[in-house]
Amino acid sequence: MIEKRFTKIANYVAHLAGLPSTFAICCLIIAAWAMSGPIFGFSDTWQLIINTGTTIVTFLMVFLIQNTQNRDGAAIQTKLDELIRVGKAKDTFIGIEHLTESEVEEIRAKCEEAAKRHDRKIAENAVKKAAAQKRGSKTRAA
């Protein structure tokens, strides 16, 4: 019950935080605070108000946005795992997000090298095919 309510609130706040109107409202608050400086004599209390307010908002937003990103990341990972599972990809990639950073980097490097070998193979085949077509058109012309 609490988890569902928190998830709903976190999603809503993360959505609101990303709106242009939210940014505009924040800019207006900062502008109003700055313009009120001369009225309050740029006092320590005047500065403390903006510092405390922004610190509290930042502190809370970090947790809400991180929660939203964690769920989004887990959902994407689950979808990718399912695509791997039902496709022709290697099942060994399922769950690699739980490995250490260096282990994942090692797998990524191997995948990049395999992709480069594949690209070279495709390029070589294209050259061979073009050469064969060129030879074929010369023999037909003769």
Side-chain angles (χ1 to χ4, degrees):
M1 176 75 168
I2 292 174
E3 188 176 7
K4 282 189 176 188
R5 181 169 285 155
F6 178 78
T7 298
K8 191 172 184 177
I9 291 169
N11 284 338
Y12 183 69
V13 171
H15 171 73
L16 287 178
L19 294 176
S21 57
T22 303
F23 179 76
I25 290 169
C26 290
C27 288
L28 288 174
I29 290 170
I30 298 296
W33 169 80
M35 288 188 290
S36 70
I39 296 168
F40 294 102
F42 300 102
S43 68
D44 289 344
T45 304
W46 172 80
Q47 292 178 31
L48 187 61
I49 288 171
I50 197 70
N51 290 338
T52 304
T54 56
T55 300
I56 290 169
V57 170
T58 302
F59 180 74
L60 295 174
M61 288 300 290
V62 164
F63 294 104
L64 290 176
I65 292 172
Q66 187 62 50
N67 175 270
T68 302
Q69 287 181 337
N70 287 348
R71 277 185 288 102
D72 287 350
I76 289 169
Q77 191 60 54
T78 302
K79 291 173 185 178
L80 289 172
D81 287 350
E82 181 63 9
L83 287 172
I84 290 170
R85 191 186 66 74
V86 300
K88 294 182 180 182
K90 295 180 181 177
D91 294 14
T92 54
F93 289 111
I94 293 177
I96 66 169
E97 69 274 10
H98 301 292
L99 299 175
T100 66
E101 189 172 341
S102 59
E103 291 170 329
V104 172
E105 181 60 31
E106 184 180 334
I107 291 170
R108 188 187 66 74
K110 288 179 183 177
C111 287
E112 282 183 0
E113 186 56 40
K116 287 177 186 174
R117 282 193 310 270
H118 180 72
D119 288 347
R120 281 191 292 263
K121 189 182 236 183
I122 289 173
E124 289 169 6
N125 288 340
V127 169
K128 288 177 186 175
K129 185 177 179 180
Q133 286 176 346
K134 192 173 185 179
R135 275 185 257 122
S137 65
K138 282 184 181 179
T139 55
R140 284 188 210 127

